Amino acid sequence: MYILIIGCGRTGSYLANLLSKEEENVVVIDKDATSFEELSAEFTGFTVEGDATEIEVLKDAKLAKADSVVVTTDDDNVNAMIAQIASELYQVPKVLVRVLDSQKEVIYKELDVITMTPTSLLVDKFKDEIVRSV
């Protein structure tokens, strides 16, 4: 599988390291080359320094070949733009997006993408634990 991760912060680097360890083909894009320091010494994938909202950067990362794209930048508007490019222009089979502001989740309703909102996931988990302990 060819997986493209956009954003190499805590979430993106953790996922990239995990997938690399499982011997998946992983490419990580980030605007800041120092972000790649978060990747482990065992990381076997590739890195692309650049702005993923630019088509040339996405072409360099071979977006057209991707089986999955995971967008984890800290900017919901950037994430929405990249998700739309991956889903609609490149027809990537699976696009997953981190949405920081749960109110912005509505932006993705028309797109064929999977959204993950950390706050909602955490609240759901807390609620499940509370209900289970009663």
Side-chain angles (χ1 to χ4, degrees):
M1 221 174 16
Y2 184 79
I3 303 161
L4 180 59
I5 298 174
I6 300 165
C8 195
R10 285 178 295 191
T11 303
S13 63
Y14 189 90
L15 181 60
N17 287 326
L18 180 68
L19 292 169
S20 176
K21 192 179 212 178
E22 294 179 2
E23 300 182 1
E24 299 292 352
N25 295 315
V26 181
V27 174
V28 182
I29 300 175
D30 201 287
K31 288 194 290 191
D32 182 1
T34 62
S35 295
F36 300 132
E37 294 170 7
E38 297 294 321
L39 297 171
S40 71
E42 294 81 25
F43 178 72
T44 59
F46 294 96
T47 59
V48 175
E49 181 184 357
D51 184 344
T53 61
E54 296 177 11
I55 296 295
E56 283 305 312
V57 172
L58 295 172
K59 285 181 180 177
D60 288 346
K62 298 183 179 29
L63 174 62
K65 289 179 49 179
D67 297 299
S68 296
V69 171
V70 182
V71 189
T72 67
T73 79
D74 59 2
D75 186 323
D76 284 337
N77 295 327
V78 167
N79 291 354
M81 180 187 303
I82 296 167
Q84 186 171 18
I85 291 168
S87 178
E88 293 183 356
L89 294 180
Y90 285 87
Q91 285 85 41
V92 174
K94 187 170 279 189
V95 178
L96 300 98
V97 185
R98 178 178 67 177
V99 181
L100 297 172
D101 182 351
S102 58
Q103 293 180 352
K104 291 192 176 181
E105 227 171 349
V106 70
I107 296 170
Y108 300 91
K109 293 296 181 207
E110 300 298 316
L111 299 176
D112 187 23
V113 301
I114 299 166
T115 58
M116 306 263 178
T117 306
T119 302
S120 296
L121 293 171
L122 185 61
V123 167
D124 289 345
K125 182 72 174 161
F126 280 152
K127 185 186 79 137
D128 290 347
E129 290 298 322
I130 290 167
V131 171
R132 188 175 352 163
S133 64
V134 174

